[in-house]
Every structure is written in structure tokens, then in C-alpha cells.
Amino acid sequence: MHPVRKQRLILVLVLVALSSAAVGFVTYAMRENMDYFYAPSAFAAGEVPFEKRIRAGGCVVPGSVQRSEDSLDVQFVITDGEAELAVVFDKILPDLFAEGEAAVITGQLMHSGVLRADQVLAKHDESYTPPEVADSMVSHKSCADGAKI
């Protein structure tokens, strides 16, 4: 093989190897940062992985919000009309958070079956609803005015 051809072949192979490594690293990084959305019925069916960062959404069940008197800890239950999911949160809740309203929670499912929330997002007064949330939410009587998430 001619030395120039051999040099070009080596260069192409090195570029292919470096490109493959870069694509692999980007894919791995994106996989680690994805938050999968689950409805409370998926939690009840056992389809949700434990201790992985996930998102859940539903209506806050009226009468389920319990606040600690000596800390920011809050416990509440969300529902999608088919199943309920207990949530614990230890930070300040958003101003729009209320019983009977929709909420999206980001956190980890503990082995006890409780979702330990890192972030709670309350429904905004706009009419837009993310498609994955709207698909998971069946009209539920506990939501204010039959609102969807």
C-alpha cells in the first residue's frame, strides 16, 4: 500500500473512532439527565423504577395536604383518577399549589412507595397543557372545575 494512502486510512479510522466516542459520551450524558413522566396509575402498576429521577403528575387530592408545624415538610397525595400516589416535599411550595389543582412533581420513588419530591410545579393559569401530562390525566372530580394538568 502506498504510504500516502496508508496515512489517509489511518486518519479516517482515527476520526471515525473519535466521532464514535463523542457520540457515545453525548448519549450517555443525555440518558443520565432524562426525567421520565409517569402517572399515579403507573406507580400502582409497579412500572416505575425505584430511586431514579422521575416526574409524576396529577391532581392534588382535597384534604390530603399535611404540613409539619416545625419545618417545611409537606405530605400530600396526587391522583390521575385511577390511582393515588403519596408525595413528601421539604421545601417551599409554589404559590399556585392548592388542593384540587394540578401539579407536576420531580423526585425519586422510595421503596416505601412514597415519592420524595425535589421540585413541585403547580398548574399555571394559562390554558396550555404539556401533551404527556394531558394524555395521562383523565377528567377527575377532585380537580377544580374538571381541570386537567
Side-chain angles (χ1 to χ4, degrees):
M1 182 180 290
H2 195 274
V4 175
R5 279 189 158 172
K6 186 175 182 179
Q7 190 176 21
R8 285 182 189 163
L9 179 62
I10 291 172
L11 179 65
V12 168
L13 291 175
V14 168
L15 287 175
V16 168
L18 290 175
S19 298
S20 298
V23 168
F25 286 133
V26 168
T27 303
Y28 179 76
M30 288 173 39
R31 184 177 56 97
E32 291 294 317
N33 292 323
M34 287 185 186
D35 295 335
Y36 293 101
F37 181 86
Y38 296 96
S41 55
F43 287 86
E47 300 170 359
V48 181
F50 290 105
E51 298 180 1
K52 286 193 81 173
R53 187 173 166 90
I54 55 171
R55 295 176 71 196
C59 285
V60 180
V61 176
S64 69
V65 178
Q66 300 174 353
R67 299 176 190 268
S68 175
E69 293 181 16
D70 59 345
S71 67
L72 293 175
D73 292 348
V74 178
Q75 297 178 359
F76 57 93
V77 176
I78 61 170
T79 184
D80 63 354
E82 297 177 18
E84 294 184 344
L85 173 65
V87 179
V88 294
F89 188 59
D90 61 356
K91 298 177 181 130
I92 298 173
L93 287 168
D95 291 336
L96 296 175
F97 181 86
E99 294 179 355
E101 294 294 332
V104 176
I105 295 95
T106 303
Q108 296 180 341
L109 178 64
M110 308 311 287
H111 288 284
S112 62
V114 175
L115 181 66
R116 178 167 300 282
D118 298 327
Q119 182 181 36
V120 174
L121 303 173
K123 178 184 174 187
H124 193 272
D125 58 355
E126 296 287 331
S127 59
Y128 173 74
T129 302
E132 71 271 5
V133 176
D135 291 343
S136 73
M137 187 63 194
V138 180
S139 292
H140 191 265
K141 296 174 185 173
S142 68
C143 289
D145 299 326
K148 291 188 247 175
I149 299 177

